[in-house]
Amino acid sequence: MTPSDIARRDVLMLMAAGVAVSGLPQLAAAASSTTADPKSQKPSPQNAVWNHDQVALLIIDYQPEMFAAIRSETSAEMIELNTLYMIKIAKALDIPIVLSSVGVELGVNSPTVKSIADELSHLKVIDRSTMDAWEDENFLAAVKATGKKRLIFGALFSEVCLAFPVVDALKEGYEVTFVADMVGGQSQIAHISALQRITQAGAIPNSVLGLSAELFRDWKSLEAQKAKPEIIAYLGELHKRGLR
């Protein structure tokens, strides 16, 4: 099987979540078909799961110095790939994105890594001196300008640039989810302690595939048709790199 064939198989597996094996042929047919007049995914009646039109994505401090010092369970390579995937899903679903770096203008750190910067070349990077992005007035203004009260956080490191703004955002009444396989720390204990801290404060852990599926949920929706090519490309890249 080619990487593309394997990726399509994995999409079918994702589509089959909670469905009996006997239903796979029907799902296979659904995966290769398109809806004539797709409708946009509406929020769930309970509003417990998150919808694509409710959220903003915050990308904080994905810089070379941070990537080089990751020593927690998800590798730097995987974090970079997952972050790019999440950004592409956000772009496909018209989710607002805020991009920030720390210490570049001060000469302390390098700018955002090239792969992520190139994917977000249409955005102005908000560079800060504060380790806590929530304490930077330009960053905070950009978040508020999205008009969203549900925030998706990705940041390096977990113990500093993720934890600090997450607990501040929660205190200000925002709902927060963090993408656990998009973040990392300078040690495993630092990373896990940070995730425990923000989870106990009320943040919701998620994964890139779990979150991207949550944002559209119905394979007949308009958003599913927009997201499907990104999912297939991501899974194909995982296989190509031997990461899945």
Side-chain angles (χ1 to χ4, degrees), residues 6-67:
I6 296 171
R8 291 179 186 278
R9 180 202 66 189
D10 284 355
V11 170
L12 290 175
M13 291 172 63
L14 181 64
M15 293 173 71
V19 178
V21 173
S22 60
L24 284 176
Q26 290 80 3
L27 285 170
S32 60
S33 66
T34 57
T35 304
D37 185 22
K39 305 297 183 183
S40 188
Q41 178 68 55
K42 294 181 180 180
S44 71
Q46 300 83 4
N47 202 34
V49 296
W50 289 25
N51 215 54
H52 65 94
D53 56 358
Q54 299 174 329
V55 303
L57 173 63
L58 313 183
I59 303 294
I60 303 171
D61 303 349
Y62 285 81
Q63 297 163 253
E65 291 82 2
M66 287 64 164
F67 275 102

Coordinates of all heavy atoms in Angstrom, one line a residue, residues 6-67:
I6 N -2.7 4.0 2.7 CA -2.8 3.8 4.1 C -3.5 4.9 4.8 O -4.3 4.7 5.7 CB -1.3 3.6 4.7 CG1 -0.7 2.4 4.0 CG2 -1.4 3.5 6.2 CD1 0.8 2.3 4.3
A7 N -3.3 6.1 4.4 CA -3.9 7.3 5.0 C -5.4 7.2 4.8 O -6.2 7.5 5.7 CB -3.4 8.6 4.4
R8 N -5.9 6.8 3.6 CA -7.3 6.7 3.3 C -7.9 5.6 4.2 O -9.0 5.7 4.7 CB -7.5 6.4 1.9 CG -7.2 7.6 1.0 CD -7.5 7.4 -0.5 NE -7.0 8.5 -1.3 CZ -7.7 9.6 -1.5 NH1 -8.9 9.7 -1.0 NH2 -7.3 10.6 -2.2
R9 N -7.1 4.5 4.4 CA -7.6 3.4 5.3 C -7.8 4.0 6.7 O -8.8 3.7 7.4 CB -6.6 2.3 5.2 CG -7.0 1.1 6.2 CD -5.8 0.3 6.5 NE -4.8 1.0 7.4 CZ -3.6 0.6 7.7 NH1 -3.2 -0.5 7.2 NH2 -2.8 1.3 8.4
D10 N -6.8 4.8 7.1 CA -6.9 5.3 8.5 C -8.1 6.3 8.7 O -8.7 6.4 9.7 CB -5.6 5.9 8.9 CG -4.5 4.9 9.2 OD1 -4.8 3.7 9.2 OD2 -3.4 5.3 9.4
V11 N -8.4 7.0 7.6 CA -9.5 7.9 7.7 C -10.8 7.1 7.8 O -11.7 7.4 8.6 CB -9.7 8.8 6.4 CG1 -11.0 9.5 6.4 CG2 -8.5 9.8 6.4
L12 N -10.9 5.9 7.1 CA -12.0 5.0 7.3 C -12.1 4.5 8.7 O -13.2 4.4 9.3 CB -11.9 3.9 6.3 CG -12.1 4.2 4.8 CD1 -11.9 3.0 4.0 CD2 -13.5 4.8 4.6
M13 N -10.9 4.2 9.3 CA -10.9 3.7 10.7 C -11.5 4.8 11.6 O -12.2 4.6 12.6 CB -9.5 3.3 11.1 CG -9.0 2.1 10.4 SD -7.3 1.7 10.7 CE -7.3 1.4 12.5
L14 N -11.1 6.1 11.3 CA -11.5 7.2 12.1 C -13.1 7.3 12.0 O -13.8 7.5 12.9 CB -10.8 8.5 11.7 CG -11.2 9.8 12.5 CD1 -10.8 9.6 13.9 CD2 -10.5 10.9 11.8
M15 N -13.5 7.2 10.7 CA -15.0 7.3 10.5 C -15.7 6.2 11.1 O -16.9 6.3 11.5 CB -15.2 7.3 8.9 CG -14.7 8.5 8.2 SD -14.8 8.2 6.4 CE -16.6 8.4 6.2
A16 N -15.1 5.0 11.3 CA -15.7 3.9 11.9 C -15.8 3.9 13.4 O -16.3 2.9 14.0 CB -15.0 2.6 11.4
A17 N -15.3 4.9 14.0 CA -15.3 4.9 15.5 C -16.7 4.7 16.0 O -17.6 5.4 15.7 CB -14.7 6.2 16.0
G18 N -16.9 3.7 16.8 CA -18.2 3.4 17.4 C -19.1 2.7 16.5 O -20.3 2.5 16.8
V19 N -18.6 2.3 15.3 CA -19.5 1.6 14.4 C -19.0 0.1 14.2 O -17.8 -0.2 14.3 CB -19.4 2.2 13.0 CG1 -20.2 1.5 11.9 CG2 -19.9 3.7 13.1
A20 N -19.9 -0.8 14.1 CA -19.6 -2.2 14.0 C -18.8 -2.5 12.8 O -18.9 -1.8 11.8 CB -20.9 -3.1 14.0
V21 N -17.9 -3.5 12.8 CA -17.1 -3.9 11.6 C -17.9 -4.1 10.4 O -17.5 -3.8 9.3 CB -16.2 -5.1 12.0 CG1 -15.5 -5.6 10.7 CG2 -15.3 -4.8 13.1
S22 N -19.1 -4.7 10.6 CA -20.0 -5.0 9.4 C -20.4 -3.7 8.7 O -20.8 -3.8 7.5 CB -21.2 -5.7 9.9 OG -22.0 -4.9 10.8
G23 N -20.2 -2.5 9.3 CA -20.6 -1.3 8.7 C -19.5 -0.7 7.9 O -19.7 0.4 7.2
L24 N -18.3 -1.3 7.8 CA -17.2 -0.7 7.1 C -17.4 -0.5 5.6 O -16.9 0.5 5.1 CB -15.9 -1.5 7.4 CG -15.3 -1.2 8.8 CD1 -14.1 -2.1 9.0 CD2 -14.9 0.2 9.0
P25 N -18.0 -1.5 4.9 CA -18.2 -1.3 3.5 C -19.0 0.0 3.2 O -18.7 0.7 2.2 CB -18.9 -2.5 3.1 CG -18.5 -3.6 4.0 CD -18.4 -2.8 5.3
Q26 N -20.0 0.2 4.0 CA -20.8 1.4 3.8 C -20.0 2.7 4.1 O -20.2 3.7 3.4 CB -22.1 1.4 4.7 CG -23.1 0.3 4.3 CD -22.8 -1.1 4.8 OE1 -21.8 -1.3 5.5 NE2 -23.6 -2.1 4.4
L27 N -19.2 2.6 5.1 CA -18.3 3.8 5.4 C -17.3 4.0 4.3 O -17.0 5.1 4.0 CB -17.6 3.5 6.7 CG -18.5 3.7 8.0 CD1 -17.8 3.2 9.2 CD2 -19.0 5.1 8.1
A28 N -16.8 2.9 3.7 CA -15.8 3.1 2.6 C -16.5 3.8 1.5 O -15.9 4.6 0.8 CB -15.4 1.7 2.2
A29 N -17.7 3.4 1.2 CA -18.4 4.1 0.1 C -18.7 5.6 0.4 O -18.5 6.4 -0.4 CB -19.8 3.4 -0.2
A30 N -19.0 5.8 1.7 CA -19.2 7.2 2.1 C -18.0 8.0 2.0 O -18.0 9.2 1.6 CB -19.7 7.2 3.5
A31 N -16.8 7.4 2.3 CA -15.6 8.2 2.2 C -15.2 8.6 0.8 O -14.5 9.7 0.7 CB -14.4 7.3 2.8
S32 N -15.6 7.9 -0.2 CA -15.3 8.2 -1.5 C -16.3 9.1 -2.2 O -16.2 9.4 -3.4 CB -15.0 6.9 -2.3 OG -16.2 6.1 -2.4
S33 N -17.4 9.3 -1.5 CA -18.5 10.1 -2.1 C -18.5 11.5 -1.5 O -17.9 11.8 -0.5 CB -19.8 9.4 -1.9 OG -20.1 9.4 -0.5
T34 N -19.3 12.4 -2.2 CA -19.5 13.7 -1.6 C -20.9 14.0 -1.5 O -21.8 13.4 -2.2 CB -18.8 14.8 -2.6 OG1 -19.4 14.6 -3.9 CG2 -17.3 14.6 -2.6
T35 N -21.3 14.9 -0.6 CA -22.7 15.3 -0.5 C -23.0 16.3 -1.5 O -22.3 17.3 -1.6 CB -22.9 15.8 1.0 OG1 -22.5 14.7 1.9 CG2 -24.4 16.1 1.2
A36 N -24.1 16.2 -2.2 CA -24.5 17.1 -3.2 C -24.6 18.5 -2.7 O -24.2 19.5 -3.3 CB -25.8 16.7 -3.9
D37 N -25.3 18.7 -1.6 CA -25.5 20.0 -1.0 C -25.2 20.0 0.5 O -26.1 20.0 1.3 CB -27.0 20.4 -1.3 CG -27.3 21.8 -0.8 OD1 -26.3 22.6 -0.7 OD2 -28.4 22.2 -0.5
P38 N -23.9 20.0 0.8 CA -23.5 19.8 2.2 C -23.9 21.0 3.0 O -23.9 22.2 2.6 CB -22.0 19.7 2.1 CG -21.6 20.4 0.9 CD -22.7 20.1 -0.1
K39 N -24.3 20.7 4.3 CA -24.7 21.8 5.2 C -23.6 22.0 6.2 O -22.9 21.1 6.6 CB -26.0 21.4 5.9 CG -27.2 21.1 5.0 CD -27.6 22.3 4.2 CE -28.8 21.9 3.3 NZ -29.2 23.0 2.4
S40 N -23.5 23.2 6.7 CA -22.5 23.5 7.7 C -22.9 22.8 9.0 O -24.0 22.7 9.4 CB -22.4 25.0 7.9 OG -21.3 25.3 8.8
Q41 N -21.8 22.3 9.7 CA -22.1 21.6 11.0 C -22.6 22.6 12.0 O -22.0 23.6 12.3 CB -20.8 21.0 11.5 CG -20.9 20.3 12.8 CD -21.7 19.0 12.8 OE1 -21.5 18.2 11.9 NE2 -22.7 19.0 13.6
K42 N -23.7 22.3 12.7 CA -24.3 23.1 13.7 C -23.7 22.6 15.1 O -23.4 21.5 15.2 CB -25.8 23.0 13.7 CG -26.5 23.5 12.5 CD -28.0 23.4 12.6 CE -28.6 24.0 11.3 NZ -30.1 23.8 11.4
P43 N -23.7 23.5 16.1 CA -23.3 23.1 17.4 C -24.3 22.0 17.9 O -25.4 21.9 17.5 CB -23.5 24.4 18.3 CG -23.4 25.5 17.3 CD -24.0 25.0 16.0
S44 N -23.7 21.1 18.8 CA -24.6 20.1 19.4 C -25.6 20.7 20.3 O -25.4 21.7 20.8 CB -23.7 19.1 20.2 OG -23.2 19.7 21.3
P45 N -26.7 20.0 20.5 CA -27.8 20.5 21.3 C -27.3 20.8 22.8 O -27.7 21.7 23.4 CB -28.9 19.4 21.3 CG -28.7 18.7 20.0 CD -27.2 18.7 19.8
Q46 N -26.4 19.9 23.2 CA -25.9 20.1 24.6 C -24.8 21.1 24.7 O -24.5 21.6 25.8 CB -25.3 18.7 25.1 CG -26.3 17.6 25.2 CD -26.5 16.9 23.8 OE1 -25.8 17.2 22.9 NE2 -27.5 16.0 23.8
N47 N -24.2 21.4 23.5 CA -23.1 22.4 23.5 C -21.9 22.0 24.3 O -21.1 22.8 24.7 CB -23.5 23.8 23.9 CG -22.6 24.9 23.3 OD1 -22.1 24.7 22.2 ND2 -22.5 26.0 24.0
A48 N -21.8 20.7 24.5 CA -20.6 20.2 25.3 C -19.4 20.0 24.4 O -18.3 20.3 24.8 CB -21.0 18.9 26.0
V49 N -19.6 19.4 23.2 CA -18.5 19.3 22.3 C -18.4 20.6 21.6 O -19.3 21.4 21.5 CB -18.7 18.1 21.3 CG1 -18.8 16.8 22.0 CG2 -20.0 18.4 20.5
W50 N -17.2 20.8 21.0 CA -16.8 22.1 20.5 C -17.1 22.2 18.9 O -16.7 21.2 18.3 CB -15.4 22.5 20.8 CG -15.2 22.8 22.2 CD1 -15.9 22.4 23.3 CD2 -14.1 23.7 22.7 NE1 -15.4 22.9 24.4 CE2 -14.3 23.7 24.1 CE3 -13.1 24.3 22.2 CZ2 -13.4 24.4 25.0 CZ3 -12.2 25.0 23.0 CH2 -12.4 25.1 24.4
N51 N -17.7 23.2 18.5 CA -18.0 23.4 17.0 C -16.9 24.3 16.4 O -16.4 25.2 17.0 CB -19.4 23.9 16.8 CG -20.1 23.4 15.6 OD1 -20.2 22.2 15.5 ND2 -20.5 24.2 14.7
H52 N -16.7 24.1 15.1 CA -15.7 24.9 14.3 C -15.9 26.4 14.4 O -15.0 27.2 14.4 CB -15.7 24.5 12.9 CG -17.0 24.8 12.2 ND1 -17.2 26.0 11.5 CD2 -18.2 24.1 12.1 CE1 -18.4 26.0 11.0 NE2 -19.0 24.9 11.4
D53 N -17.2 26.8 14.5 CA -17.5 28.3 14.5 C -17.5 28.9 15.9 O -17.8 30.1 16.0 CB -18.8 28.5 13.8 CG -20.0 27.8 14.4 OD1 -19.7 27.0 15.4 OD2 -21.1 28.0 13.9
Q54 N -17.0 28.2 16.9 CA -17.0 28.7 18.3 C -15.6 29.0 18.8 O -15.5 29.5 19.9 CB -17.7 27.6 19.2 CG -19.1 27.3 18.9 CD -19.6 26.2 19.8 OE1 -18.8 25.3 20.2 NE2 -20.9 26.2 20.2
V55 N -14.6 28.6 18.0 CA -13.3 28.6 18.5 C -12.2 29.5 17.8 O -12.4 29.9 16.7 CB -12.7 27.1 18.5 CG1 -13.7 26.2 19.2 CG2 -12.5 26.7 17.0
A56 N -11.2 29.8 18.6 CA -10.0 30.4 18.0 C -8.8 29.5 18.4 O -8.8 28.9 19.4 CB -9.8 31.8 18.5
L57 N -7.8 29.5 17.5 CA -6.6 28.7 17.7 C -5.4 29.7 18.1 O -5.1 30.6 17.3 CB -6.2 27.9 16.5 CG -4.9 27.2 16.5 CD1 -4.9 26.1 17.6 CD2 -4.6 26.5 15.1
L58 N -4.7 29.4 19.2 CA -3.6 30.2 19.7 C -2.3 29.4 19.6 O -2.2 28.3 20.2 CB -3.8 30.6 21.1 CG -5.2 31.2 21.5 CD1 -5.3 31.7 22.9 CD2 -5.6 32.3 20.5
I59 N -1.4 29.9 18.8 CA -0.1 29.2 18.5 C 1.0 30.1 19.2 O 1.3 31.2 18.7 CB 0.2 29.1 17.0 CG1 -1.0 28.3 16.4 CG2 1.5 28.4 16.8 CD1 -1.1 26.8 16.8
I60 N 1.6 29.6 20.2 CA 2.5 30.4 21.1 C 3.9 29.8 21.2 O 4.1 28.6 21.7 CB 1.9 30.5 22.5 CG1 0.5 31.1 22.4 CG2 2.8 31.4 23.4 CD1 -0.3 31.1 23.8
D61 N 4.9 30.5 20.7 CA 6.3 30.2 21.0 C 6.8 28.9 20.4 O 7.6 28.2 21.0 CB 6.6 30.3 22.5 CG 6.2 31.6 23.1 OD1 5.9 32.5 22.3 OD2 6.2 31.7 24.4
Y62 N 6.4 28.6 19.2 CA 7.0 27.5 18.4 C 8.3 27.9 17.7 O 8.3 28.1 16.5 CB 5.9 26.9 17.5 CG 4.9 26.1 18.2 CD1 3.8 26.8 18.9 CD2 5.0 24.8 18.3 CE1 2.9 26.1 19.6 CE2 4.0 24.0 19.0 CZ 3.0 24.7 19.7 OH 2.0 24.0 20.4
Q63 N 9.3 28.1 18.5 CA 10.6 28.7 18.1 C 11.7 27.6 18.2 O 11.6 26.7 19.0 CB 10.9 29.9 18.9 CG 9.8 31.0 18.7 CD 9.9 32.1 19.8 OE1 9.0 32.1 20.6 NE2 10.9 32.9 19.8
P64 N 12.8 27.8 17.4 CA 13.9 26.8 17.4 C 14.4 26.4 18.8 O 14.7 25.3 19.1 CB 14.9 27.4 16.5 CG 14.1 28.3 15.6 CD 13.0 28.9 16.5
E65 N 14.6 27.4 19.6 CA 15.2 27.2 20.9 C 14.3 26.3 21.8 O 14.8 25.4 22.5 CB 15.4 28.5 21.7 CG 16.5 29.4 21.1 CD 16.0 30.2 19.9 OE1 14.8 30.1 19.5 OE2 16.9 30.9 19.3
M66 N 13.0 26.4 21.6 CA 12.0 25.6 22.4 C 12.0 24.2 21.8 O 12.1 23.2 22.6 CB 10.6 26.2 22.3 CG 10.5 27.4 23.2 SD 11.5 28.8 22.7 CE 10.7 30.2 23.5
F67 N 12.0 24.0 20.5 CA 12.0 22.7 19.9 C 13.2 21.9 20.3 O 13.2 20.7 20.6 CB 11.9 22.8 18.4 CG 10.5 22.9 17.9 CD1 10.0 24.1 17.5 CD2 9.7 21.8 17.8 CE1 8.7 24.3 17.0 CE2 8.4 21.9 17.3 CZ 7.9 23.1 16.9

